[in-house]
Amino acid sequence: MTVRVSSAAGVLYIVPTPIGNLADMVPRAIEVLQTVDLIAAEDTRHSGKLMQHFQISTPMISYHDFSSEQKAQDLLDRLKAGKNIALISDAGTPLISDPGYRLVSAAREEGINVIPIPGACAAIAALSASGLPSDRFAFEGFPPAKNSARRAFYQALVQDSRTLIFYESPHRIQASLADLLEVFGPERRMVMAREISKTFETFLSGTISSVLAIVEQDPDQQKGEIVLLVAGYQPPEQQEELSPEACRVMSLLLDEKLPVKQAASLAAAITGEKKNRLYDWALTR
């Protein structure tokens, strides 16, 4: 069903804000924020500093994931009355692991014109500089906070051939990397991008095991805004050449509910096969 855009209604602008360096703010975004009737901000106190820096005096109200339906309806009513509104989050592009989906979806259904302003996005910035394949990728947002749910979340993606992109919080980064190691194996390539566009911007590139080792040894790598990028799955070469005995041993160990990493280590010690090949075999079993 096609919804016609109402010519009498205002415009909802989706406006990105800097993820670090204030110079990342695009001129068009400044112009929109200066000229709209209202700015809907994730946190008005946080955004107030940005507005002050760019001398933007447009009125602001808060709008976030926990805002009431009534607040969303109030914004829709203003838009239908011809007011122009800019939606911003604390940093980056709204809706990309930030608030706004409900409002944009409702605005579209009401025939209100929604216009995006291109700009800063941590996921895309990290991907562009990661050196991992960028022709096909999947943004998966924040993994679950609890270990068991996070491992299951990663397990569902282990054979995805696209480059995988996650956001992660600093206080969970060690546990999250440990779960990546457990599920994806030690040799899967990855990049950890931290504090993009800020003073202490860092890119750690290598295998999951090597990146985890650095993070464990350097407390500074456990701070700030973090993007994790994991290389897509590639079928192991010559997988069919695993000996029948190695396959039998691995099957027995996995049937006993041993973790894949532990089963591969034991089977390697028993059969002489390489641990990584046994691990890869288990993932496609």
Side-chain angles (χ1 to χ4, degrees):
M1 174 180 163
T2 301
V3 178
R4 289 187 177 182
V5 175
S6 171
S7 59
V11 174
L12 176 61
Y13 292 94
I14 312 302
V15 181
T17 56
I19 56 177
N21 193 321
L22 287 175
D24 293 339
M25 190 76 167
V26 298
R28 188 181 174 202
I30 298 172
E31 181 183 357
V32 167
L33 293 177
Q34 288 174 334
T35 57
V36 293
D37 299 293
L38 182 69
I39 297 171
E42 182 179 2
D43 185 333
T44 54
R45 293 168 300 178
H46 178 92
S47 297
K49 300 173 185 176
L50 183 71
M51 302 305 142
Q52 185 177 9
H53 179 83
F54 289 105
Q55 299 180 331
I56 297 167
S57 57
T58 305
M60 279 196 300
I61 64 169
S62 65
Y63 180 78
H64 46 75
D65 276 341
F66 303 103
S67 294
S68 66
E69 292 292 338
Q70 183 56 49
K71 179 163 282 191
Q73 187 59 52
D74 176 60
L75 291 173
L76 288 173
D77 290 342
R78 295 187 192 214
L79 287 162
K80 287 189 284 187
K83 300 296 183 182
N84 294 327
I85 297 176
L87 176 68
I88 64 173
S89 60
D90 287 348
T93 301
L95 280 76
I96 309 302
S97 276
D98 278 326
Y101 164 74
R102 288 184 300 152
L103 179 60
V104 171
S105 179
R108 287 287 186 193
E109 290 180 3
E110 294 284 353
I112 294 165
N113 196 13
V114 181
I115 297 179
I117 309 300
C121 176
I124 299 303
L127 177 64
S128 70
S130 69
L132 296 177
S134 57
D135 55 332
R136 297 178 67 244
F137 61 90
F139 175 66
E140 296 292 337
F142 281 91
K146 293 186 177 179
N147 289 33
S148 58
R150 187 167 56 238
R151 284 193 292 269
F153 174 77
Y154 285 150
Q155 188 65 53
L157 298 166
V158 74
Q159 292 192 50
D160 195 316
S161 61
R162 299 169 294 180
T163 296
L164 301 170
I165 307 174
F166 310 95
Y167 287 164
E168 191 51 284
S169 60
H171 67 277
R172 289 200 296 265
I173 186 59
Q174 278 187 271
S176 194
L177 286 170
D179 287 339
L180 277 175
L181 179 66
E182 174 70 30
V183 174
F184 286 81
E187 299 304 316
R188 183 75 72 97
R189 288 193 303 142
M190 75 162 296
V191 172
M192 186 178 107
R194 188 179 67 87
E195 294 290 85
I196 294 174
S197 191
K198 299 177 183 176
T199 303
F200 299 105
E201 176 179 288
T202 307
F203 279 77
L204 302 179
S205 180
T207 62
I208 294 176
S209 57
S210 68
V211 170
L212 174 57
I214 295 171
V215 171
E216 288 176 334
Q217 295 165 12
D218 185 357
D220 286 339
Q221 300 303 323
Q222 303 167 31
K223 301 174 183 177
E225 303 292 330
I226 297 170
V227 184
L228 301 177
L229 304 100
V230 179
Y233 172 76
Q234 294 181 349
E237 295 179 0
Q238 299 179 334
Q239 181 173 286
E240 69 280 358
E241 294 184 7
L242 270 182
S243 68
E245 177 64 10
C247 296
R248 187 184 72 83
V249 171
M250 275 297 290
S251 295
L252 289 172
L253 293 172
L254 293 172
D255 287 345
E256 292 299 319
K257 307 302 182 185
L258 265 69
V260 175
K261 183 181 176 183
Q262 184 181 353
S265 295
L266 289 173
I270 294 169
T271 66
E273 290 281 3
K274 290 185 177 181
K275 181 170 61 176
N276 292 344
R277 294 190 61 227
L278 290 163
Y279 190 98
D280 288 336
W281 178 88
L283 297 182
T284 57
R285 176 173 175 251

